[in-house]
Amino acid sequence: MHATHLLLEEPIRMASILEPSKPSFFPAMTKIVGTLGPKSRTVEVISSCLKAGMSVARFDFSWGDVDYHQETLENLKTAVKITKKLCAVMLDTVGPELQVVNKSEHAISLEADGFVTLTPDDQSKEASSKLLPINFTGLSKAVKPGDTIFIGQYLFTGSETTSVWLEVEELKGDDVVCVIKNSATLAGSLFTLHISQIHIDLPTLSDADKEVISKWGVRNNIDFLSLSYTRHAEDVRHAREFLSKLGDLNQTQIFAKIENIEGLTHFDEILQEADGIILSRGNLGIDLPPEKVFLFQKAAVYKCNMAGKPAVVTRVVDSMTDNLRPTRAEATDVANAVLDGSDAILLGAETLRGLYPVETISTVGKICSEAEKVFNQDLYFKKTVKYVGEPMTHLESIASSAVRAAIKVKASVIIVFTSSGRAARLIAKYRPTMPVLSVVIPRLKTNQLRWSFTGAFEARQSLIVRGLFPMLADPRHPAESTSGTNESVLKVALDHGKVSGVIKSHDRVVVCQKVGDASVVKIIELED
């Protein structure tokens, strides 16, 4: 294969592999989403996670109550103030997740070749090695003998001792009798149940999800809603309609989580409706044969890149839940996700209950940073321009020109003034090799009862886009101006860049801004 076909800069000098990695203010252009939980909810640990490179905090509502997550979020707010590092908030819904309920929390041992019955009565019956109560009444109607069912506390590490593989043997009324295919011990109060390639007739946004969003989501102005088990574009439309009625949540972005064959089948129309995509490789790895998972990742990330919508990849360093170092395969997997074009890496169990949440974020950031250095931006740029075609829209033309100019003059940074965040995201879509400082200019709005400023949502929502680093400007500076007010905002942005260490004397900087009705791209060379 010719080097021009690789999303990798050629040639990579072997000597550079032996050079130590250089620390920088921005650990990586690729963003890191960390799930906060038992091992990562104190102010001290969250502060360390933010310093290590976490820019989005995920709150997983498939466990823990509203009060528990609120306490964690208050600690996050304190950590943000201490570290002075912006962090966005993502609420992850439960959706139509099937669960085995283990009220006693005693460990359950299952022996290979034995039998276990799944029964739809999770309230009165106790879980045992012979009987597993589940939260779904329609299981016996959804499955048939020979179907495969997986059960585990965290789907799925591939560890055969903590998750079990069952095969449906017979159906007895509402009960499903299964053969146990591997010996395993299930520990904890809840286990996820996944049936390979079977439609589950439950709403994507459950009543419990709606309650959490209405209470916790509204109270905390969540930036992102991670919509679990998105199966159709209609799921996203329904969620957006629900959010639009909840005050400021009409600004919340919806990220569709693709977890099964149904979501994969309707991927194109889901991508059109959603603000971003999360490739949930844990569940997808069960629904798809192992040899097909990488194909889905590459195809889905490419489609997201061309649409200019963030692609988030999950389940990359599972082994770091218990170990200080990733496996060689995992380190390569993180790098390949970056070379494929991913915007962000999502860490689940690794930061939620893992022993090394801070080290995991730091390690993933370092791998991303190294992969970004050899990302073939030139090839990527040409592909994106070709995909967009001609005639380009006004904004698209300005964005691609800004990136091309920045690369030609070897600019150290691109500064873009934006109020909606759209211009900044379009520039990031072309994957410039340098950071994009997105200066979000707040806008004044009124609901006829009170005045308020917009901008905080737009700033935080860019924290999941590769290469975008937001800054909230002083609201007294208008976004569009022919006077010198923009110059003072530019000075603030340049000073921020200098303090960050990304801008030095004599560096060139590309600035993208609106002056009156015109959009302008200019190159400035800094003096001492």
Side-chain angles (χ1 to χ4, degrees):
M1 186 186 275
H2 294 297
T4 50
H5 293 161
L6 293 172
L7 267 181
L8 202 62
E9 291 284 11
E10 292 281 351
I12 297 171
R13 291 184 306 110
M14 281 298 179
S16 70
I17 298 166
L18 303 176
E19 289 169 7
S21 306
K22 294 181 182 71
S24 68
F25 177 79
F26 299 122
M29 307 274 263
T30 307
K31 303 302 176 66
I32 297 174
V33 181
T35 307
L36 301 186
K39 290 283 194 290
S40 54
R41 63 190 301 256
T42 64
V43 173
E44 188 184 5
V45 174
I46 297 173
S47 297
S48 299
C49 287
L50 291 170
K51 286 177 192 163
M54 176 180 83
S55 63
V56 180
R58 171 176 170 257
F59 293 80
D60 183 358
F61 275 84
S62 58
W63 61 275
D65 59 19
V66 168
D67 293 338
Y68 181 91
H69 288 300
Q70 188 61 44
E71 197 179 303
T72 307
L73 182 55
E74 295 305 327
N75 289 346
L76 170 66
K77 288 176 185 171
T78 306
V80 165
K81 281 180 189 154
I82 292 168
T83 59
K84 294 187 171 57
K85 289 190 181 290
L86 268 183
C87 187
V89 171
M90 176 182 279
L91 188 162
D92 203 317
T93 64
V94 180
E97 182 171 279
L98 305 188
Q99 294 174 332
V100 174
V101 183
N102 178 21
K103 286 190 295 186
S104 70
E105 296 196 24
H106 295 314
I108 298 164
S109 294
L110 300 166
E111 294 296 326
D113 302 324
F115 291 90
V116 67
T117 301
L118 304 178
T119 185
D121 184 359
D122 61 342
Q123 296 307 312
S124 60
K125 293 185 178 164
E126 288 286 343
S128 69
S129 55
K130 297 289 177 204
L131 188 81
L132 296 176
I134 61 171
N135 66 342
F136 179 52
T137 53
L139 186 64
S140 62
K141 295 180 183 68
V143 297
K144 61 186 185 304
D147 280 349
T148 301
I149 295 175
F150 293 91
I151 296 174
Q153 190 178 10
Y154 294 91
L155 289 181
F156 271 91
T157 60
S159 164
E160 296 225 337
T161 57
T162 59
S163 53
V164 68
W165 169 24
L166 309 175
E167 191 176 285
V168 177
E169 177 75 9
E170 64 171 317
L171 310 172
K172 288 185 175 177
D174 287 341
D175 291 353
V176 177
V177 181
C178 301
V179 181
I180 302 164
K181 304 298 278 186
N182 67 291
S183 297
T185 302
L186 303 179
S189 59
L190 276 183
F191 319 118
T192 307
L193 182 148
H194 187 97
I195 313 157
S196 194
Q197 303 197 16
I198 296 288
H199 171 76
I200 298 302
D201 195 17
L202 287 171
T204 302
L205 202 59
S206 68
D207 289 342
D209 289 330
K210 287 179 177 176
E211 194 176 338
V212 164
I213 295 165
S214 303
K215 286 183 181 172
W216 194 87
V218 170
R219 178 181 172 185
N220 299 299
N221 271 353
I222 55 164
D223 302 296
F224 303 109
L225 180 75
S226 162
L227 193 60
S228 295
Y229 296 94
T230 305
R231 296 168 285 187
H232 302 271
E234 190 52 47
D235 295 340
V236 183
R237 283 193 286 270
H238 173 68
R240 204 176 297 285
E241 194 182 317
F242 179 71
L243 290 178
S244 69
K245 297 168 186 162
L246 298 172
D248 284 343
L249 292 202
N250 60 359
Q251 296 178 75
T252 298
Q253 289 189 349
I254 298 173
F255 273 54
K257 217 168 165 191
I258 307 298
E259 320 205 32
N260 55 24
I261 291 285
E262 270 185 281
L264 191 151
T265 310
H266 303 110
F267 185 84
D268 289 353
E269 52 263 45
I270 290 170
L271 177 60
Q272 265 190 312
E273 285 294 328
D275 296 299
I277 298 286
I278 296 173
L279 313 181
S280 184
R281 302 191 315 171
N283 286 340
L284 267 171
I286 299 164
D287 252 24
L288 288 172
E291 67 272 21
K292 298 286 188 186
V293 177
F294 86 96
L295 272 177
F296 170 69
Q297 176 174 318
K298 289 186 183 297
V301 170
Y302 172 76
K303 283 172 186 265
C304 290
N305 288 168
M306 294 304 112
K309 293 185 177 181
V312 183
V313 171
T314 70
R315 303 306 296 262
V316 287
V317 285
D318 284 340
S319 73
M320 286 196 79
T321 306
D322 303 307
N323 301 302
L324 201 45
R325 282 170 66 93
T327 65
R328 290 159 293 280
E330 288 171 336
T332 307
D333 189 24
V334 174
N336 279 326
V338 173
L339 296 176
D340 286 346
S342 303
D343 285 80
I345 302 289
L346 189 152
L347 302 172
E350 302 98 322
T351 54
L352 172 91
R353 63 184 177 93
L355 305 177
Y356 308 103
V358 180
E359 292 84 352
T360 302
I361 292 167
S362 175
T363 301
V364 168
K366 284 176 189 166
I367 300 167
C368 290
S369 179
E370 288 297 321
E372 287 156 10
K373 288 175 191 169
V374 295
F375 180 76
N376 193 336
Q377 200 282 334
D378 188 45
L379 176 64
Y380 180 91
F381 188 92
K382 285 173 184 163
K383 268 174 37 175
T384 311
V385 168
K386 187 178 175 186
Y387 180 87
V388 170
E390 292 176 355
M392 275 186 174
T393 63
H394 177 77
L395 253 183
E396 193 98 41
S397 169
I398 292 289
S400 57
S401 301
V403 174
R404 179 177 274 139
I407 286 164
K408 293 284 185 203
V409 303
K410 292 188 164 50
S412 55
V413 72
I414 298 173
I415 294 174
V416 55
F417 294 98
T418 181
S419 50
S420 67
R422 188 160 165 248
R425 284 196 301 274
L426 265 182
I427 287 174
K429 169 183 168 179
Y430 286 89
R431 294 283 185 261
T433 50
M434 65 290 296
V436 180
L437 280 186
S438 164
V439 184
V440 181
I441 315 276
R443 287 179 299 187
L444 194 58
K445 66 168 188 174
T446 178
N447 61 3
Q448 296 181 336
L449 291 174
R450 66 188 178 98
W451 290 93
S452 62
F453 284 108
T454 67
F457 267 103
E458 289 80 0
R460 290 193 304 264
Q461 283 167 346
S462 60
L463 290 167
I464 204 164
V465 180
R466 179 154 150 187
L468 261 196
F469 298 92
M471 229 187 96
L472 205 53
D474 188 320
R476 287 167 297 188
H477 296 306
E480 294 155 24
S481 167
T482 48
S483 69
T485 49
N486 260 345
E487 295 310 312
S488 56
V489 185
L490 177 58
K491 186 180 181 310
V492 172
L494 290 170
D495 288 345
H496 176 69
K498 286 171 187 168
V499 170
S500 312
V502 291
I503 302 175
K504 302 181 296 301
S505 301
H506 305 296
D507 275 0
R508 288 171 178 168
V509 173
V510 168
V511 181
C512 189
Q513 65 187 112
K514 274 195 114 172
V515 177
D517 292 333
S519 296
V520 175
V521 174
K522 63 181 182 182
I523 301 160
I524 56 175
E525 193 156 340
L526 301 180
E527 296 167 0
D528 287 334

